[in-house]
């Protein structure tokens, strides 16, 4: 299903103007780096930097921050592939090796995959990466840390903030084809591992709606329908959805000792009293 959005020119909306200006700058900067940088890896890093610095750092709440090129781990030994961008809690510890960075999954609020141009094969790969990250177990919480706050999404109730998945494409994606490819790729996945938001900068977004009320949904629910929303200002709905998603993020107290099982090479000498 596809729908179109329009804008009301009878009023001034400063936020719309700012978002549209950022979208235009993203396009211009992306076209410029495409001309100047030929190495695929370098181009990918610059592409990620543009989205992180010009979009996410500008609009996400101060309770989260964005990091690039990291892997996610859980305390049971699960590990994601390297993610383009992670939206993490502002309290996330800075755990890094010489050439890589790792983040305990409890601190991860969102995963963002960024593409220059998406075809069906690349979309399936991005969806699989997000699903793998979402499948990691958020279990290393202190006892009693999850007593008071829950979130009901995907037809389940969670005592933590489930990881939010975004795919961002700069240009060229056919929304109808991408919609069909996303439906097919997610058909065998549990709902909580689905991609939550797909943004094509020059075309629109793919999101979930309630087919009975036609209200947009930040995350999928059992009754949701996946729809393509065509918009020349795709960054506007993308901003709304990202803000709605991450403004509700919270972090129960993490039990980091589960990631560092003892005795840590320490011996204790005791003297009798």
């Amino acid at each position: 299903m596809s729908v179109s959005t329009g804008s009301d020119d009878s009023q001034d909306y400063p936020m719309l103007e700012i978002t549209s200006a950022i979208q235009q700058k993203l396009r211009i900067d992306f076209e410029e780096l495409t001309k100047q940088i030929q190495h695929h890896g370098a181009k990918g890093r610059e592409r990620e930097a543009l989205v992180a610095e010009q979009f996410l750092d500008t609009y996400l709440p101060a309770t989260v921050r964005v990091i690039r090129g990291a892997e996610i781990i859980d305390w049971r030994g699960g590990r994601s592939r390297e993610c383009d961008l992670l939206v993490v809690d502002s309290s996330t510890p800075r755990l890094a090796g010489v050439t890589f960075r790792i983040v305990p999954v409890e601190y991860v609020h969102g995963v963002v995959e960024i593409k220059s141009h998406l075809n069906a094969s690349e979309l399936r790969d991005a969806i699989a990466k997000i699903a793998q990250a979402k499948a990691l177990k958020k279990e290393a919480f202190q006892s009693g840390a999850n007593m008071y706050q829950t979130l009901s999404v995907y037809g389940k109730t969670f005592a933590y903030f489930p990881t939010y998945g975004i795919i961002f494409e700069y240009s060229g994606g056919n929304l109808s084809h991408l919609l069909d490819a996303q439906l097919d790729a997610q058909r065998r996945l549990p709902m909580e591992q689905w991609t939550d938001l797909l943004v094509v900068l020059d075309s629109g977004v793919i999101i979930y709606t309630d087919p009975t009320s036609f209200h947009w949904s930040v995350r999928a629910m059992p009754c949701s329908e996946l729809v393509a929303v065509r918009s020349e200002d795709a960054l506007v709905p993308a901003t709304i959805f990202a803000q709605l998603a991450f403004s509700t993020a919270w972090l129960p107290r993490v039990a980091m000792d589960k990631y560092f099982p003892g005795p840590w090479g320490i011996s204790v000498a005791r003297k009798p009293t």
Side-chain angles (χ1 to χ4, degrees), residues 35-72:
K35 294 175 185 175
Q36 294 183 6
I37 302 175
Q38 298 303 317
H39 186 270
H40 181 73
K43 186 182 295 185
R45 289 189 294 272
E46 290 302 316
R47 185 179 59 200
E48 294 155 16
L50 290 178
V51 175
E53 295 167 8
Q54 295 188 24
F55 172 47
L56 295 176
D57 284 345
T58 302
Y59 286 116
L60 292 188
T63 50
V64 301
R65 58 189 171 90
V66 180
I67 61 176
R68 291 187 278 152
E71 296 178 9
I72 312 169

Side-chain angles (χ1 to χ4, degrees), residues 206-219:
I206 295 177
I207 57 173
Y208 299 94
T209 65
D210 182 334
T212 57
S213 66
F214 296 104
H215 290 161
W216 296 358
S217 177
V218 176
R219 300 180 190 253

Side-chain angles (χ1 to χ4, degrees), residues 38-242:
Q38 298 303 317
H39 186 270
H40 181 73
K43 186 182 295 185
R45 289 189 294 272
E46 290 302 316
R47 185 179 59 200
E48 294 155 16
L50 290 178
V51 175
E53 295 167 8
Q54 295 188 24
F55 172 47
L56 295 176
D57 284 345
T58 302
Y59 286 116
L60 292 188
T63 50
V64 301
R65 58 189 171 90
V66 180
I67 61 176
R68 291 187 278 152
E71 296 178 9
I72 312 169
I73 58 171
D74 66 27
W75 77 281
R76 294 182 180 272
R79 191 167 192 150
S80 75
R81 294 155 63 186
E82 183 175 347
C83 303
D84 291 341
L85 299 176
L86 294 181
V87 180
V88 301
D89 195 81
S90 58
S91 65
T92 301
R94 300 179 181 275
L95 304 175
V98 176
T99 59
F100 64 92
R101 186 169 187 171
I102 58 173
V103 181
V105 67
E106 287 77 16
Y107 291 95
V108 176
H109 295 320
V111 179
V112 185
E113 287 299 307
I114 303 171
K115 303 294 181 183
S116 298
H117 308 283
L118 268 179
N119 56 34
S121 175
E122 290 172 329
L123 178 59
R124 283 193 296 270
D125 182 68
I127 288 172
K129 284 182 69 175
I130 288 174
Q132 183 191 32
K134 284 185 160 206
L136 295 173
K137 305 296 184 184
K138 291 189 176 185
E139 298 175 330
F141 297 113
Q142 295 179 25
S143 177
N146 312 333
M147 293 173 58
Y148 304 109
Q149 190 163 2
T150 59
L151 184 64
S152 294
V153 290
Y154 310 127
K156 298 181 178 181
T157 299
F158 297 84
Y160 54 82
F161 186 81
T163 303
Y164 193 77
I166 302 173
I167 298 173
F168 187 101
E169 181 194 14
Y170 274 94
S171 66
N174 182 298
L175 281 183
S176 296
H177 294 166
L178 293 175
L179 176 65
D180 291 340
Q182 184 174 348
L183 284 168
D184 183 65
Q186 294 181 166
R187 202 176 305 277
R188 299 171 189 82
L189 293 173
M191 188 179 296
E192 61 268 24
Q193 294 178 20
W194 289 1
T195 293
D196 299 289
L197 173 64
L198 196 159
V199 182
V200 182
L201 189 61
D202 62 357
S203 301
V205 296
I206 295 177
I207 57 173
Y208 299 94
T209 65
D210 182 334
T212 57
S213 66
F214 296 104
H215 290 161
W216 296 358
S217 177
V218 176
R219 300 180 190 253
M221 299 295 283
C223 62
S224 294
E225 180 181 2
L226 193 65
V227 300
V229 180
R230 303 184 188 282
S231 172
E232 294 181 356
D233 291 321
L235 217 55
V236 173
T239 298
I240 294 169
F241 272 70

